[in-house]
Amino acid sequence: MANLPDSIRSKIDQVEHAFNISSTIFEKYTKIFIEIFGGNQYKLIYSDYQYKRTSNQINPKLNTKNKLHKCSHQDLYSLIWTIYALAKTIYPSTINDLIASFHLLLLFLLFMIMSN
């Protein structure tokens, strides 16, 4: 890394800083989510997302008994984190700001609580 130009080194430092912020927020998010919604930390983080795709999932009209399934803890956990990640890409000014990132995550958690 010593032979790299200063611009590349600064970009690497920015990526490292953004990753540290995201990992800190993720740790806090997991603790807050478990306190609010319950669930097991191991199951939330390491859940198996291998869904078998059938023709009914591709085209629900093919299923004559279309049932509504309840949203599990893992689904809600990944939904909130996905919305948070998408919002961070839309508002890039929050990428390097720990407090703004944490407030953004709390906003989505509160929105999910209020919608229930």
Side-chain angles (χ1 to χ4, degrees):
M1 223 171 109
N3 296 334
L4 293 175
D6 289 338
S7 62
I8 293 177
R9 273 192 253 153
S10 67
K11 292 287 184 182
I12 290 172
D13 289 340
Q14 286 177 353
V15 169
E16 185 179 277
H17 182 69
F19 177 77
N20 288 337
I21 288 174
S22 294
S23 64
T24 302
I25 294 293
F26 185 75
E27 289 174 12
K28 292 181 182 291
Y29 164 65
T30 303
K31 292 176 186 175
I32 292 170
F33 185 89
I34 290 171
E35 287 180 21
I36 294 173
F37 296 106
N40 184 348
Q41 181 176 2
Y42 181 80
K43 285 184 180 179
L44 289 175
I45 296 173
Y46 303 106
S47 64
D48 184 27
Y49 289 106
Q50 299 287 330
Y51 293 112
K52 294 182 180 179
R53 292 191 66 174
T54 63
S55 60
N56 295 342
Q57 290 172 333
I58 296 169
N59 187 357
K61 293 180 181 178
L62 295 175
N63 190 359
T64 57
K65 297 179 182 178
N66 210 359
K67 294 181 181 179
L68 294 176
H69 297 287
K70 291 185 177 182
C71 183
S72 68
H73 286 280
Q74 291 91 356
D75 294 336
L76 184 62
Y77 181 80
S78 63
L79 174 68
I80 294 172
W81 187 254
T82 303
I83 293 171
Y84 167 75
L86 286 172
K88 280 188 71 157
T89 59
I90 293 170
Y91 303 107
S93 61
T94 62
I95 288 175
N96 291 325
D97 188 7
L98 181 64
I99 301 300
S101 296
F102 190 66
H103 287 164
L104 186 65
L105 181 65
L106 289 177
L107 173 74
F108 292 122
L109 280 168
L110 288 173
F111 177 72
M112 288 298 167
I113 292 170
M114 298 298 282
S115 65
N116 285 338

